Amino acid sequence: MKKDQPYLESVPNEQGFFGRFGGAFLPPQLEEPFAEIRQAYDKLSKSFEFLHELKKIRKHYQGRPTPISYCKNLSDLVGGGQIYLKREDLNHTGAHKLNHCMAEALLAKYLGKTKLIAETGAGQHGVALATAAAYFGLECEIHMGEVDIKKEHPNVVRMKILGAKVVPATHGLKTLKEAVDSAFDAYLKDTKNQLFAIGSVVGPHPFPKMVRDFQSVVGLEAKEQFMEMTGKLPDMVTACVGGGSNAMGIFSAFIDEPVKLYSVEPAGRGDKIGEHSASLTYGSEGIMHGFNSIMLKDEEGNPAPVHSIGSGIDYPSVGPEHAYLHSIGRTNIGLCSDDEAVDAFYKLSQHEGIIPALESAHAVAFAMKYAAEHPKEAILVNLSGRGDKDIDFVVEHYPVPIKGR
Ligand SMILES: *Cc1c(COP(=O)(O)O)cnc(C)c1O
């Protein structure tokens, strides 16, 4: 990092590297389509018209800015520091993903594309992208493992209602990895009219940078709102990390400030491979899905099986910028198990009237632990999404606790 240069301008470099992490490791057929996206984004990220249109959409369609809420009851309950939430659960569709999906769809429109294509695991990215496609009058094709289609039925229905085509991936284990393969095959058949829309700060350059930039609105809003509410910066900012887009969104405004940053990784139900998806905690350097980062590997060095109760954060790697920020000591890691996430899910619901997504509950759970140990600090949590999608699963496996016990 050069002195006096704002952090966000210092990385990535021209080739998409954040230190040693990132880059674009592409099969030859993808070099050209990705060069097109790179050049288009270079231009559009400086275009007044593009940025102005995005701003209008955020205000009049998505309902931004989303508020910050102070959780007095939860803070009192924990008996420590003050917990604040940036309310991405109140963004249209109920999560932060629409922030980058709307922008990716706008990019597709500027490029003259007619169709968005992507894979989805739990279906959250698929729903957000289908929403953006409907708004912009684009076709949308979402590839999803056959196993996930059964498991995530409500999201499949949502995508169909929104007018998207859901294509089942029927080979191998029939989950996310197969969905990625299937989506890339379909994309390669027509890179002229289709845009591959990646769902987090992962994948080959320029997606980690682009998605970070699109999500940075969360941090910009939050910083201003927090200063207005409290007259100072938060002491600590935290978010859950799957690929890492909601975390990069809120972190981006605080990296140059004297604020501690904690990435919360899913500790799942144990520390053995397959029981968690804490990539930075247990992983090592490697290339997958077209970029170099820290990843969880099996014995052959392939992406390892992962688990988290939050189906949007069970990814065996992290965005390259997270690997970088952690490697230079700018971010710390917090861990949260499945059980702690469920406890936070119920506590936030019963004491604040906010049902969080299980993914977001990981960040809340960590904030509660941290607050208990840091009674003088103000803690800002990115509440990445609402929990409606998780309620049936949670009550079936974890009976509703009696409030106050
Ligand atoms: C998808 C999702 C996440 C994880 O994605 P990141 O890119 O790590 O932010 C977190 N929370 C919610 C609600 C999600 O839908």
Side-chain angles (χ1 to χ4, degrees), residues 198-250:
I198 292 177
S200 187
V201 286
V202 299
H205 182 54
F207 279 94
K209 172 183 162 54
M210 205 160 83
V211 172
R212 171 194 80 184
D213 294 352
F214 294 153
Q215 286 294 344
S216 66
V217 64
V218 176
L220 286 173
E221 286 174 10
K223 189 169 162 183
E224 200 185 305
Q225 292 165 321
F226 196 91
M227 298 282 290
E228 192 190 303
M229 276 174 96
T230 69
K232 59 185 175 75
L233 288 166
D235 297 290
M236 192 275 258
V237 175
T238 187
C240 66
V241 174
S245 65
N246 89 87
M248 275 322 304
I250 197 152

Side-chain angles (χ1 to χ4, degrees), residues 95-97 124 199-200 240-247 312-313 357 359-360 384-385:
H96 71 288
K97 282 199 176 73
Q124 296 297 102
S200 187
C240 66
V241 174
S245 65
N246 89 87
I313 46 178
E359 294 84 357
S360 326
S384 53

Side-chain angles (χ1 to χ4, degrees), residues 300-362:
E300 275 111 61
N302 295 315
V306 283
H307 162 82
S308 168
I309 195 169
S311 49
I313 46 178
D314 59 351
Y315 184 64
S317 183
V318 287
E321 193 162 12
H322 283 286
Y324 170 67
L325 286 169
H326 183 242
S327 77
I328 60 169
R330 183 61 190 90
T331 53
N332 308 292
I333 296 176
L335 284 168
C336 169
S337 68
D338 287 356
D339 289 349
E340 289 170 326
V342 171
D343 177 61
F345 172 92
Y346 278 128
K347 289 230 161 73
L348 193 66
S349 300
Q350 299 192 339
H351 295 276
E352 296 290 346
I354 299 169
I355 304 176
L358 278 174
E359 294 84 357
S360 326
H362 283 72

